[in-house]
Amino acid sequence: MPSGSEFIRQIKDQVEEIDPSEVNELTHEGVAIVDVRESEETESGLLPGAKHVPRGYLESRIEGVVPDRSTPVVIYCASGNRSVYAAKTLAELGYEDVVSMSGGFQAWKQNGHEWRVPRALSPEQFERYSRHVLIPEVGEEGQLKLLDSNVLLIGAGGLGSPAAVYLAAAGIGTLGIIDADIVDVSNLQRQIVHTVDRVGQPKVDSAETAIKAINPGVTVKKYAERLTSENVLDIIAGYDVIVDGTDNFPTRYLLNDATLVAGIPVVHGSIYQFEGSVTVYKPYEGPCYRCQYPEPPPPELAPSCAEGGVLGILPGVIGTLQATEAVKLVLGIGDPLVGRQLRYDALAMEFVELKMHRDPECPVCSKDPSEIEFIDYEQFCAMPSRAVARPEEAVA
Ligand SMILES: [Zn+2]
């Protein structure tokens, strides 16, 4: 049996090492830098751009952090020994170009190279969000992104309810809620953010009570008003993602046009009876609402507002899908539903996906944002005619 130090030397013979100044020259060249120290050790600082994967989790998490095995990887630890073992492990996992930084973080600092002190979750946050932290695609860094994020909910109704509950639980830092309505008994069949004892309260207040009960750390911004061409840009400014759970067409059209100007992605959901759909309108990257529905229906074709029925559970499914898309957009992970519409049929228990394309003749997104004018479409009502729009475009 070789002695410990001799064993390290043998391993080092099999792994390429480069020194901190060589690593410093690589930091902008599409190289993945992986810190394999324990979490406590990284509190004092990390290399700029480094991903932290503690040695004990390397095998299970590296794919989430460096999915492409041909990406060049630089591994470091505190002094350059553990990183040699880690580099060997990665080579065995099929990573083609792995080097260890000699001397580790200590040598990096001694050489006067730049480093950053990571922001960290507080112990309470770490405990609350531990099931997020454990997912490589989220991790502590992702949870900090969620805590820094601002999401606006259009409507605290059927779709807004599950979205508000899950986004609050997920730790979205600021949740804006716009809704001018009062909680009514007939809402309770599906709008789970409200309760019997809050009937008669403004929906934004009732939603705030529910959100704070789940997660007091969330900042709630309330707008007990309707979106208009006058207030829309002021209200949506500063939000990273908008979850559209609105039940009326004027708001949908106005929101679409305003978010194109403001450059904010919208997670759109709609429901009718047993059917719902979800899509993401990402300004100028995919189709917008008006690529699909260029003009609002004329008032005479829009039936009364009170006609739409909906299975109470349906908005739970659709609103939860919307919350999922919002979290993905904040984190920048996965494939958002841009240019895709996911449709759900609760009776058939089927999901189908439709491709959607940008319309080069779209009345708004074919234009430059500076040319878009907002219109208050107050002349027509919430319920579309089946002849005018698709059946799921209805009550929320
Ligand atoms: Zn468009």
Side-chain angles (χ1 to χ4, degrees), residues 216-228:
V218 177
T219 301
V220 179
K221 284 192 184 167
K222 300 182 285 183
Y223 310 88
E225 56 194 305
R226 284 198 168 271
L227 277 184
T228 67

Side-chain angles (χ1 to χ4, degrees), residues 17-77:
E17 291 183 284
I18 61 176
D19 64 34
S21 56
E22 290 173 276
V23 174
N24 192 42
E25 282 170 21
L26 289 174
T27 49
H28 303 292
E29 309 226 347
V31 174
I33 298 180
V34 178
D35 186 322
V36 293
R37 293 175 296 163
E38 299 305 313
S39 294
E40 311 83 74
E41 298 178 271
T42 61
E43 282 165 16
S44 60
L46 292 152
L47 265 63
K51 308 275 187 195
H52 178 224
V53 186
R55 175 65 190 91
Y57 296 100
L58 192 62
E59 290 87 342
S60 57
R61 295 191 187 166
I62 190 65
E63 260 193 63
V65 175
V66 188
D68 181 354
R69 285 174 160 73
S70 65
T71 305
V73 182
V74 175
I75 299 209
Y76 73 93
C77 60

Side-chain angles (χ1 to χ4, degrees), residues 173-186:
T174 299
L175 274 179
I177 307 169
I178 177 161
D179 200 310
D181 289 347
I182 303 289
V183 180
D184 182 84
V185 170
S186 69

Side-chain angles (χ1 to χ4, degrees), residues 159 270-278 310-319 321 341-354 392:
L159 297 170
S270 60
I271 48 175
Y272 182 75
Q273 296 186 353
F274 294 97
E275 293 169 31
S277 72
V278 192
V310 63
L311 182 73
I313 307 159
L314 181 69
V317 175
I318 300 299
L321 291 171
Q341 187 181 50
L342 185 65
R343 292 187 170 200
Y344 169 57
D345 179 341
L347 278 185
M349 196 45 80
E350 271 178 2
F351 283 94
V352 293
E353 189 184 299
L354 302 179
E392 71 277 12

Side-chain angles (χ1 to χ4, degrees), residues 289-359:
Y289 183 68
R290 295 180 67 172
C291 290
Q292 271 185 297
Y293 310 105
E295 297 298 337
E300 63 274 17
L301 286 180
S304 113
C305 293
E307 279 182 20
V310 63
L311 182 73
I313 307 159
L314 181 69
V317 175
I318 300 299
T320 305
L321 291 171
Q322 288 179 277
T324 309
E325 289 298 281
V327 163
K328 282 164 56 188
L329 287 168
V330 167
L331 294 173
I333 60 172
D335 296 318
L337 282 168
V338 176
R340 298 187 286 150
Q341 187 181 50
L342 185 65
R343 292 187 170 200
Y344 169 57
D345 179 341
L347 278 185
M349 196 45 80
E350 271 178 2
F351 283 94
V352 293
E353 189 184 299
L354 302 179
K355 291 268 176 274
M356 301 189 304
H357 300 283
R358 273 185 82 181
D359 177 1

